[in-house]
Amino acid sequence: MKARMKDMMRVATARLGGEQQAGASSSSGYVRRDSTAVRTTRLGGDSLRRQPQPQAPTVRTVYCNDRDANAPVGYKGNSVSTTKYNVLTFLPKGLFEQFRRVANLYFLMISILSTTPISPVHPVTNVVPLSLVLLVSLIKEAFEDWKRFQNDMSINNAKVDILQDRDWESTPWKRLQVGDIVRIKKDGYFPADLLFLSSTNPDGVCYIETANLDGETNLKIRKALEKTWDYVLPEKVSEFKGEVQCEQPNNSLYTFTGNLIVDKQTIPLSPNQLLLRGCSLRNTEYIVGVVIFTGHETKVMMNSMNVPSKRSTLEKKLDKLILALFATLFMMCVIGAIGSGVFINQKYFYLGLRGHVEDQFNPKNRFVVTILTMFTLITLYSTIIPISLYVSIEMIKFIQCTQFINNDINMYHAESNTPALARTSNLNEELGQVEYIFSDKTGTLTRNLMEFFKCSIGGEMYGTGITEIEKGGAERAGIKIDNDEGKRSAAAIHEKGFNFDDARLMRGAWRNEPNPEACKEFFRCLAICHTVLPEGEETPEKISYQAASPDEAALVAAAKNFGFFFYRIPVSSVAFDKTPHDAGAIEVALTILRTPTTVVVRESHVERMGSIQDVSYEILNVLEFNSTRKRQSVVCRFPNGRLVLYCKGADNVVFERLADGNHDMKKISREHLEQFGSAGLRTLCLAYRDLNREQYESWNEKFVQAKSSLRDRDKKLDEVAELIEKDLILIGCTAIEDKLQEGVPACIETLSAAGIKIWVLTGDKMETAINIAYACNLVNNDTKQFIISSETDAIREVEDKGDPIEIARVIKDTVKQSLKNFHEEALRSLSRMPERKLALIIDGRCLMYALDPTLRVDLLGLSLSCHSVVCCRVSPLQKAQVASLVKKGARKITLSIGDGANDVSMIQAAHVGIGISGQEGMQAVMASDFAIAQFRFLTDLLLVHGRWSYLRLCKVITYFFYKNLTFTLTQFWFTFQTGFSGQRFYDDWFQSLYNVIFTALPVIIVGLFDKDVTASLSKRYPQLYKEGIRNSFFKWRVIAVWGFFAFYQSIVFYYFTAAASRHGHGSSGKILGLWDVSTMAFSCVVVTVNLRLLMACNSITRWHYISVAGSIVAWFVFIFIYSAIMTSFDRQENVYFVIYVLMSTFFFYLTILLVPVIALFGDFLYLSIQRWLYPYDYQVIQEMHRDDPHEYSMVQLPETSHLSPEEQRSYAISMLPRENSKHTGFAFDSPGYESFFASQQGVGVPHKPWDVARRASMKQRQQPQRPARS
């Protein structure tokens, strides 16, 4: 039951955007109404009813445990609905959604026209296909909405305990009301947003899991106000009569401001007392809470907005194709209408146009004839627009996602048991055309598994290890570094979060260092200033830490191993809240509480070597992290009364707040930070400040006032923090290693070979980002780098003067000049050496000015000239701005990939968003279009699934265009033989079922199973992906070729059957009439267009044969039955017995055989010439591997270092494959093959288009004849 409840909660959880929050939960309760009583029963026993007070627009007043007082306000109920429709709105709203599509609206108009007298076709011709399309779509909508409804009902009817007459009674969630007091038991879910009153834990603490909000399974702590700790038992709870004044419902998951008024005392509330709906209670027997927000006013429901709707580029181009078909239809109708006006004349006496005739055929009013004929022909030619196209594409995309992408074993991550997940089916083909990838670093390119690796204390660097990035840099420089695992010192320790080797700091040896006091402060800062929760036995070997981020765990583990073991938060102390982020440095958030917290640290070797003592530190204030501050501080009191502020944060933020003097220490530490960054380590600065009592008390008064404010509380707290976070003394800095994910360098190298440009957007220091770029193969020693940094001597000199206006002017001028100079240099470099790789590296401060509208064009021009771009120290907003710049400015297809909440805006800004389900929760995944577990899976997602989807959908769309144009043009040629009267050529049912029955299934099969090359070859030859970037298969030229052959085949179908039937007759001697000829022509059309699809396939499976043969058989089965029945209610008698008459003649069989052959001969000839002389890249690979029985690995060329450059080139050309083709039946070699293979090997070979015969003949003489295949 609990597992089922958890699944239901996950389905109902909103899709969240923005930054990640440390969880929260909620609960609710319900009030039973006495059926015999008029008034509502009050909860919690007999108490005086309070009169509701007028509420300000920005303040919500909730009376706890008093429904009557809350009733006049009219708060919303707790029932939620996530459905799109109800019984009354389903049909009108569903039809409205369907008719928002232009094609459906067009066919609705055609269906209406077909019911008028001017229509030459029966209404069923257009109504039946439209009805089938709408029926399928509405059934799909109804099924999805029914599932949502069932989930809503399960949640709304879940039970929760509510206080009723001094006792707990179970009631459904949907009956809870604001102000109710509820009890949530262990492992239960919070049914509403609750104010946390008390728990069974003696210190008023409860543990919650926020997996339904952010995907995090590590437990968070929530702390009740000390004033309400005693309200645990129902008898005591019924006496509680507090009043809550708080903010109005909003969608901010991480903020909450309010006050609790109880016993005439006002107590400020914070997010630490708010339990959000959807979270669950863990490791606590039960808690008691008051319902604050219910139903759709809960924070999680107010976040339940969909990710911005995205349409693929191919779908937008499809709209242009539909418009082109509309234009073609209009032109055909105009030609027919003008022809009708000209043709109509009384001289054709046999038409009976004398006397009274219909307006449509009245020669005396040719203008009316023209207009009416125009509408007649619109209904007649309506089949030129493929009505089933959108439904077929939706079906194909849906199956591609659910069956192919989601079930791909190559994108399954076994360690985390995470498969790939397609969260939308709208963008499958977009994955095959991506040209720019914007990637986060931490957790995306790296593992987000942090290890404390090095540090700098008091100007001295500690740690002797070598990072993976340092090893990679040495190897690039030609220096071989042996594995140092066996050379580690005896003092080295390697455990989770800690990989440090330097005997000078271990086992108390730091006491002998030149700066033992600095070491002591450094270790205390690590042990005290954190958000970690200790769990398990209180021993260094068995304790475990619940950390909001891997960085935090690594820092506390370091303190433990250095001899400052944090192991306990005593009862009656306040627990921390924490929120993980990712901005390059440790970024934590602590919730500020009124009651001080005590943490216990077991300190070793402080007084003397070998001494161990437990020291309790009282945490007086916590100054939380936010994206503006980029730091976190605590004010603590030592047992001897000493007041100290410890601060840790990003280096640039901490350095700005250091006290004057000690420039040597700053300079040395800055050099150490640069060395750490060059080694690819994540850095963090630590500082402290001693406070006197008067100074602290004066500041604390301002702090308490800001904390109690209901308006702009966060802003006021930041302002107060600035007053005390100054004159800091630098202790040192930490360096944490975040190792690269498996397969990242190979993946980036493959994607680069595919023509995809990769940009890294990170919050790390420039040195760290550059070295990560080297380690990822994003840049190398041959790459020309353009670096735009704000850390220059000129800018630092201006910064020392402290004039912000002058600083901004200098930086902007520097950026402007750098962009201009680098762009010119890039163009010169590319003109001299087109193959040389260029890279732009820019920090966030300079990027802020580069994104200014006056410089944006220069930035874009330089960026597009580079093969890779690295943006350092960037904010989440800047990430989104960069993605939008390329998306809108360059009009290139972009993809963003990230794993954290700070990547959400970037993910939503790009054409395609990819979420990494990693260590930082699920916000990125919930805001994404596709989710994968590892960055390396991008290779399969893009080069395999994306490329296949693009190829398949291009083929589906162009084929739909071809088959409908062919069918409609046949009718158009017939119009010329009927005096442009609008006489129909085909029977109504032929026209109705052509798209939905006789040609529907084969094209779906092609959209699902067509495969030009295998998945392994797609990854082995990443250059194949460039065809998608160039949009090679959906250009107007490709569409024009399909259109030309549709034109040619329609002439063959009509004139060959009509002309050849002129003297034909049946077995009875009667000549063949209109319906005989049209039935024969329609048979040829069905056979030909289905066979043409087989010619377009790259791989043919049994499903292709079944679908094509089944469609042709379906036509003949239908016509056999249809021709055998006659009714008097429609025009079906026209084709009565027609097929039987035709099949009694030899002429019919001859036509069925010859007409498709003649019609397809042009296509056959074109495809042969195209494959022979102008092959696509994938056709080259088909030729190369046409005889391969298995999957293949790349064949490496032998060592040729002893050859001269010209000899190496000649040898490489001689080794290029030259294969024959089996795909078209021709044993021709292509002149395009050699140049393609040469480009694969990096050899420049000119294209030789007229060398085909010589090479083909040579190969025929050289190669022995192969045995025939069975």
Side-chain angles (χ1 to χ4, degrees):
M1 179 63 186
K2 290 179 181 178
R4 182 169 176 266
M5 185 67 178
K6 187 172 183 178
D7 290 340
M8 292 188 297
M9 288 301 302
R10 287 192 180 277
V11 175
T13 299
R15 182 181 299 161
L16 306 180
E19 293 187 352
Q20 186 170 354
Q21 71 118 16
S25 352
S26 50
S27 343
S28 53
Y30 131 82
V31 180
R32 179 187 304 168
R33 295 182 181 273
D34 190 340
S35 58
T36 61
V38 177
R39 65 179 180 86
T40 303
T41 305
R42 288 199 301 271
L43 302 180
D46 299 328
S47 60
L48 296 176
R49 182 182 302 178
R50 289 165 289 186
Q51 297 298 320
Q53 301 296 324
Q55 298 192 18
T58 57
V59 178
R60 181 185 185 96
T61 301
V62 176
Y63 299 101
C64 305
N65 204 14
D66 193 341
R67 280 195 171 183
D68 292 340
N70 293 318
V73 182
Y75 293 122
K76 291 185 178 181
N78 199 44
S79 177
V80 297
S81 174
T82 60
T83 59
K84 293 173 61 177
Y85 314 101
N86 58 39
V87 176
L88 297 178
T89 63
F90 174 72
L91 202 56
K93 191 174 180 180
L95 290 175
F96 172 75
E97 291 291 331
Q98 296 303 316
F99 287 123
R100 289 176 64 182
R101 290 179 170 174
V102 177
N104 288 345
L105 186 60
Y106 162 77
F107 275 101
L108 176 63
M109 296 171 57
I110 296 298
S111 299
I112 295 173
L113 274 178
S114 65
T115 62
T116 63
I118 64 172
S119 173
V121 298
H122 195 276
V124 72
T125 305
N126 296 297
V127 172
V128 168
L130 179 62
S131 300
L132 288 176
V133 169
L134 293 178
L135 181 63
V136 171
S137 299
L138 289 176
I139 289 175
K140 173 178 170 288
E141 288 287 320
F143 176 77
E144 292 177 350
D145 216 46
W146 175 253
K147 288 294 185 182
R148 287 190 286 264
F149 174 74
Q150 288 182 315
N151 181 72
D152 291 342
M153 292 299 294
S154 299
I155 292 176
N156 289 333
N157 291 316
K159 300 293 185 178
V160 66
D161 291 340
I162 184 174
L163 185 65
Q164 177 83 24
D165 297 329
R166 295 178 176 270
D167 198 7
W168 302 114
E169 292 193 12
S170 181
T171 192
W173 283 19
K174 62 184 179 183
R175 297 188 181 180
L176 286 180
Q177 294 184 18
V178 172
D180 291 350
I181 296 182
V182 296
R183 178 179 67 174
I184 308 300
K185 297 179 181 178
K186 181 180 179 181
D187 297 330
Y189 289 89
F190 303 119
D193 290 351
L194 306 180
L195 172 63
F196 181 25
L197 295 181
S198 61
S199 77
T200 52
N201 296 329
D203 54 351
V205 166
C206 74
Y207 299 85
I208 67 172
E209 183 182 279
T210 61
N212 283 334
L213 294 183
D214 53 29
E216 288 221 354
T217 55
N218 55 306
L219 301 184
K220 317 294 190 304
I221 286 186
R222 291 294 177 267
K223 175 73 176 183
L225 298 174
E226 188 173 1
K227 183 74 174 179
T228 62
W229 284 4
D230 297 334
Y231 295 102
V232 178
L233 299 177
E235 295 79 8
K236 180 68 174 178
V237 177
S238 62
E239 300 174 359
F240 181 72
K241 297 297 176 183
E243 178 181 326
V244 177
Q245 293 181 351
C246 63
E247 61 190 15
Q248 291 290 356
N250 59 71
N251 62 356
S252 177
L253 291 168
Y254 357 94
T255 61
F256 177 73
T257 55
N259 291 322
L260 174 64
I261 304 174
V262 57
D263 297 335
K264 298 183 179 181
Q265 181 181 358
T266 300
I267 308 172
L269 301 173
S270 72
N272 203 55
Q273 286 85 48
L274 190 66
L275 308 177
L276 297 185
R277 177 187 176 110
C279 299
S280 56
L281 184 66
R282 295 285 187 264
N283 298 346
T284 306
E285 185 179 347
Y286 71 84
I287 64 99
V288 176
V290 177
V291 177
I292 302 297
F293 303 123
T294 53
H296 288 278
E297 291 185 338
T298 57
K299 289 181 178 289
V300 66
M301 292 304 296
M302 295 191 75
N303 272 278
S304 61
M305 59 187 68
N306 291 327
V307 174
S309 178
K310 297 179 180 179
R311 293 183 68 207
S312 70
T313 306
L314 193 68
E315 189 175 346
K316 296 175 183 177
K317 292 178 181 176
L318 173 60
D319 290 343
K320 296 180 180 179
L321 177 59
I322 296 296
L323 291 177
L325 290 176
F326 275 123
T328 305
L329 171 65
F330 181 77
M331 182 181 66
M332 293 167 58
C333 294
V334 168
I335 293 173
I338 295 176
S340 178
V342 173
F343 175 83
I344 203 74
N345 198 308
Q346 290 183 354
K347 69 179 181 179
Y348 302 111
F349 61 91
Y350 50 83
L351 296 179
L353 300 178
R354 300 179 186 274
H356 179 72
V357 294
E358 299 177 25
D359 291 339
Q360 187 174 355
F361 305 107
N362 189 350
K364 299 177 181 179
N365 196 342
R366 294 176 183 270
F367 178 75
V368 174
V369 170
T370 301
I371 297 301
L372 294 178
T373 303
M374 182 78 175
F375 286 105
T376 298
L377 295 179
I378 287 177
T379 60
L380 190 62
Y381 301 151
S382 61
T383 52
I384 195 173
I385 309 295
I387 188 172
S388 58
L389 173 60
Y390 287 104
V391 173
S392 300
I393 289 178
E394 280 189 2
M395 188 182 304
I396 290 169
K397 287 184 176 183
F398 178 75
I399 297 175
Q400 284 175 350
C401 287
T402 57
Q403 299 302 317
F404 300 156
I405 294 179
N406 293 357
N407 295 329
D408 189 349
I409 192 66
N410 292 322
M411 294 193 291
Y412 171 73
H413 191 233
E415 294 180 14
S416 59
N417 190 28
T418 307
L421 174 64
R423 295 175 53 82
T424 177
S425 61
N426 294 335
L427 304 172
N428 297 4
E429 69 279 13
E430 201 87 325
L431 293 171
Q433 296 180 275
V434 173
E435 189 169 357
Y436 286 88
I437 291 178
F438 305 105
S439 174
D440 177 42
K441 183 187 77 69
T442 304
T444 303
L445 299 177
T446 60
R447 301 179 186 179
N448 204 17
L449 298 175
M450 312 300 178
E451 292 181 341
F452 189 96
F453 201 73
K454 293 184 179 182
C455 63
S456 172
I457 307 176
E460 188 72 23
M461 184 186 297
Y462 298 95
T464 61
I466 301 176
T467 65
E468 292 180 345
I469 293 175
E470 287 178 306
K471 293 177 183 178
E475 291 175 2
R476 285 191 298 274
I479 303 173
K480 187 175 180 180
I481 296 181
D482 296 328
N483 192 340
D484 61 344
E485 287 296 324
K487 301 179 180 180
R488 295 165 65 89
S489 68
I493 298 177
H494 191 180
E495 63 179 39
K496 182 180 179 182
F498 190 76
N499 183 15
F500 186 81
D501 182 10
D502 196 327
R504 293 178 294 169
L505 292 185
M506 308 305 296
R507 299 182 176 89
W510 55 268
R511 291 179 55 87
N512 300 322
E513 287 299 293
N515 45 16
E517 290 301 319
C519 292
K520 194 186 307 180
E521 294 293 346
F522 183 90
F523 300 147
R524 280 175 177 158
C525 183
L526 294 180
I528 296 173
C529 188
H530 59 75
T531 67
V532 170
L533 300 175
E535 286 186 349
E537 296 185 23
E538 296 179 354
T539 61
E541 296 79 16
K542 296 185 179 181
I543 198 168
S544 62
Y545 293 118
Q546 281 283 352
S549 71
D551 303 83
E552 287 286 80
L555 294 174
V556 178
K560 178 189 73 173
N561 285 285
F562 289 138
F564 286 68
F565 174 35
F566 162 70
Y567 69 93
R568 184 186 303 169
I569 301 178
V571 174
S572 79
S573 67
V574 178
F576 300 152
D577 180 21
K578 51 193 183 307
T579 302
H581 299 276
D582 172 22
I586 305 300
E587 300 175 348
V588 296
L590 300 181
T591 301
I592 304 170
L593 309 174
R594 289 190 71 212
T595 320
T597 300
T598 301
V599 297
V600 180
V601 179
R602 184 169 295 163
E603 299 182 353
S604 304
H605 316 294
V606 175
E607 300 297 332
R608 63 183 184 279
M609 286 295 294
S611 66
I612 299 177
Q613 58 183 351
D614 288 351
V615 183
S616 297
Y617 296 95
E618 189 177 4
I619 308 300
L620 302 177
N621 306 91
V622 181
L623 307 179
E624 64 182 29
F625 166 89
N626 60 43
S627 58
T628 304
R629 287 167 41 78
K630 295 184 180 179
R631 63 192 182 279
Q632 175 251 325
S633 303
V634 297
V635 179
C636 65
R637 179 184 285 121
F638 282 46
N640 60 6
R642 177 191 176 196
L643 292 173
V644 180
L645 178 140
Y646 285 114
C647 177
K648 65 180 180 182
D651 52 6
N652 57 335
V653 174
V654 173
F655 270 70
E656 291 174 354
R657 288 160 177 78
L658 296 179
D660 295 334
N662 202 0
H663 293 289
D664 292 339
M665 170 72 172
K666 297 179 187 177
K667 182 179 179 180
I668 295 173
S669 297
R670 193 184 293 272
E671 292 175 355
H672 290 171
L673 287 168
E674 291 177 354
Q675 293 182 38
F676 292 153
S678 299
L681 299 173
R682 295 160 58 89
T683 58
L684 181 73
C685 285
L686 276 60
Y688 78 100
R689 177 189 179 188
D690 284 305
L691 304 172
N692 57 55
R693 183 174 180 180
E694 295 76 13
Q695 186 181 29
Y696 169 73
E697 290 179 351
S698 174
W699 173 85
N700 191 47
E701 290 180 2
K702 300 174 183 177
F703 177 81
V704 172
Q705 291 177 0
K707 180 66 183 69
S708 302
S709 174
L710 283 178
R711 293 177 180 271
D712 300 325
R713 178 181 293 180
D714 293 337
K715 180 181 178 181
K716 294 178 180 178
L717 287 172
D718 289 347
E719 293 173 352
V720 172
E722 289 287 349
L723 300 177
I724 199 171
E725 290 176 327
K726 60 183 181 180
D727 299 330
L728 301 177
I729 299 174
L730 182 64
I731 310 173
C733 52
T734 62
I736 294 177
E737 182 180 22
D738 185 11
K739 295 185 178 181
L740 288 175
Q741 287 184 14
E742 178 185 352
V744 166
C747 175
I748 289 181
E749 188 174 5
T750 301
L751 295 177
S752 298
I756 299 174
K757 298 178 177 64
I758 301 174
W759 295 20
V760 175
L761 314 177
T762 177
D764 280 330
K765 294 167 60 65
M766 180 170 288
E767 295 80 6
T768 305
I770 291 175
N771 282 278
I772 288 288
Y774 270 104
C776 294
N777 289 336
L778 202 59
V779 297
N780 53 44
N781 292 334
D782 297 327
T783 303
K784 185 176 182 60
Q785 299 179 16
F786 302 120
I787 299 178
I788 304 178
S789 173
S790 59
E791 299 293 326
T792 63
D793 294 335
I795 295 177
R796 286 177 179 172
E797 184 178 343
V798 177
E799 287 177 338
D800 292 339
K801 299 178 181 179
D803 186 352
I805 298 177
E806 181 65 16
I807 293 173
R809 186 191 65 79
V810 171
I811 295 178
K812 185 173 182 179
D813 290 344
T814 302
V815 171
K816 182 178 180 179
Q817 192 63 37
S818 298
L819 290 174
K820 181 180 178 181
N821 295 340
F822 287 157
H823 192 197
E824 293 174 354
E825 187 176 351
L827 294 178
R828 288 195 301 269
S829 178
L830 292 175
S831 63
R832 292 194 304 266
M833 302 175 61
E835 299 300 323
R836 184 172 189 183
K837 289 189 175 182
L838 308 177
L840 170 64
I841 301 166
I842 184 171
D843 65 17
R845 198 173 180 188
C846 293
L847 183 63
M848 178 178 65
Y849 294 96
L851 289 171
D852 186 87
T854 59
L855 300 179
R856 193 175 299 169
V857 176
D858 296 330
L859 173 64
L860 182 62
L862 175 59
S863 300
L864 297 182
S865 301
C866 297
H867 294 78
S868 57
V869 176
V870 179
C871 299
C872 323
R873 294 291 196 190
V874 292
S875 66
L877 177 60
Q878 287 177 320
K879 291 183 178 183
Q881 289 175 331
V882 170
S884 298
L885 177 67
V886 178
K887 176 182 177 180
K888 298 177 181 178
R891 297 187 179 277
K892 304 292 185 180
I893 296 180
T894 58
L895 179 149
S896 293
I897 180 170
D899 72 317
N902 60 340
D903 301 317
V904 168
S905 56
M906 176 181 70
I907 286 173
Q908 295 183 345
H911 288 94
V912 182
I914 307 291
I916 297 285
S917 50
Q919 305 288 325
E920 295 202 15
M922 298 293 287
Q923 288 94 332
V925 169
M926 289 187 285
S928 67
D929 305 303
F930 299 89
I932 55 178
Q934 295 280 289
F935 183 88
R936 68 178 185 272
F937 294 157
L938 270 184
T939 304
D940 287 273
L941 187 63
L942 298 184
L943 302 191
V944 180
H945 293 285
R947 189 174 159 277
W948 281 349
S949 296
Y950 168 71
L951 289 171
R952 291 165 177 169
L953 286 174
C954 287
K955 193 166 293 184
V956 166
I957 293 171
T958 51
Y959 175 75
F960 260 101
F961 166 73
Y962 149 78
K963 72 183 181 71
N964 279 62
L965 187 59
T966 302
F967 179 77
T968 307
L969 284 176
T970 311
Q971 173 71 62
F972 181 65
W973 305 133
F974 179 67
T975 303
F976 285 87
Q977 306 296 316
T978 61
F980 307 97
S981 62
Q983 169 64 36
R984 60 200 173 100
F985 183 53
Y986 297 116
D987 181 80
D988 294 339
W989 282 103
F990 296 1
Q991 189 167 328
S992 300
L993 301 180
Y994 175 72
N995 276 312
V996 296
I997 299 294
F998 305 138
T999 60
L1001 185 58
V1003 70
I1004 294 177
I1005 295 299
V1006 170
L1008 294 176
F1009 299 114
D1010 191 52
K1011 188 186 301 182
D1012 58 344
V1013 295
T1014 63
S1016 61
L1017 291 179
S1018 293
K1019 293 181 286 186
R1020 179 176 170 183
Y1021 299 102
Q1023 287 82 355
L1024 292 172
Y1025 189 82
K1026 294 180 181 179
E1027 292 178 323
I1029 296 176
R1030 295 192 297 263
N1031 194 26
S1032 300
F1033 302 109
F1034 200 59
K1035 292 181 176 179
W1036 286 111
R1037 178 180 59 81
V1038 177
I1039 296 171
V1041 171
W1042 281 93
F1044 170 78
F1045 286 109
F1047 179 85
Y1048 161 74
Q1049 291 179 11
S1050 66
I1051 292 177
V1052 172
F1053 293 142
Y1054 177 70
Y1055 286 103
F1056 272 57
T1057 54
S1061 304
R1062 189 167 300 168
H1063 303 292
H1065 55 80
S1067 58
S1068 63
K1070 292 183 178 180
I1071 63 172
L1072 300 180
L1074 166 62
W1075 305 110
D1076 301 295
V1077 176
S1078 66
T1079 302
M1080 188 156 44
F1082 189 81
S1083 300
C1084 293
V1085 170
V1086 172
V1087 172
T1088 303
V1089 298
N1090 280 289
L1091 292 179
R1092 178 62 182 86
L1093 188 61
L1094 286 180
M1095 293 177 62
C1097 295
N1098 288 297
S1099 58
I1100 300 179
T1101 67
R1102 65 178 182 273
W1103 300 111
H1104 292 76
Y1105 291 122
I1106 292 172
S1107 61
V1108 170
S1111 297
I1112 297 174
V1113 169
W1115 153 245
F1116 283 104
V1117 170
F1118 167 78
I1119 191 61
F1120 265 92
I1121 298 174
Y1122 186 58
S1123 296
I1125 302 173
M1126 176 183 288
T1127 63
S1128 57
F1129 300 105
D1130 53 27
R1131 292 176 280 185
Q1132 183 268 338
E1133 68 274 5
N1134 294 328
V1135 294
Y1136 179 64
F1137 223 64
V1138 163
I1139 191 64
Y1140 300 100
V1141 172
L1142 289 174
M1143 296 189 69
S1144 66
T1145 66
F1146 174 74
F1147 172 77
F1148 172 75
Y1149 300 100
L1150 188 64
T1151 304
I1152 286 295
L1153 289 176
L1154 291 182
V1155 170
V1157 171
I1158 296 171
L1160 293 175
F1161 179 75
D1163 299 79
F1164 184 75
L1165 189 62
Y1166 168 78
L1167 291 176
S1168 303
I1169 294 174
Q1170 178 269 318
R1171 190 181 189 92
W1172 182 13
L1173 296 178
Y1174 309 102
Y1176 289 112
D1177 291 347
Y1178 75 85
Q1179 292 172 331
V1180 176
I1181 301 302
Q1182 288 175 343
E1183 296 300 320
M1184 181 178 176
H1185 295 276
R1186 64 190 182 92
D1187 293 322
D1188 289 356
H1190 306 293
E1191 299 289 339
Y1192 296 89
S1193 59
M1194 187 64 114
V1195 178
Q1196 300 293 332
L1197 290 176
E1199 180 64 40
T1200 59
S1201 58
H1202 61 282
L1203 302 177
S1204 67
E1206 185 61 30
E1207 289 173 334
Q1208 289 184 12
R1209 182 176 179 275
S1210 300
Y1211 177 79
I1213 293 176
S1214 68
M1215 295 300 294
L1216 294 175
R1218 293 172 173 82
E1219 302 292 338
N1220 291 339
S1221 169
K1222 72 170 184 177
H1223 296 277
T1224 60
F1226 290 89
F1228 292 155
D1229 202 359
S1230 168
Y1233 296 169
E1234 187 174 89
S1235 61
F1236 177 81
F1237 294 134
S1239 67
Q1240 290 281 312
Q1241 304 292 347
V1243 182
V1245 178
H1247 198 70
K1248 302 174 183 178
W1250 305 114
D1251 201 24
V1252 181
R1254 176 183 62 80
R1255 287 167 40 211
S1257 61
M1258 288 175 59
K1259 295 184 67 174
Q1260 290 173 353
R1261 290 195 301 268
Q1262 293 172 359
Q1263 293 184 358
Q1265 186 175 359
R1266 294 179 181 167
R1269 298 183 183 180
S1270 56

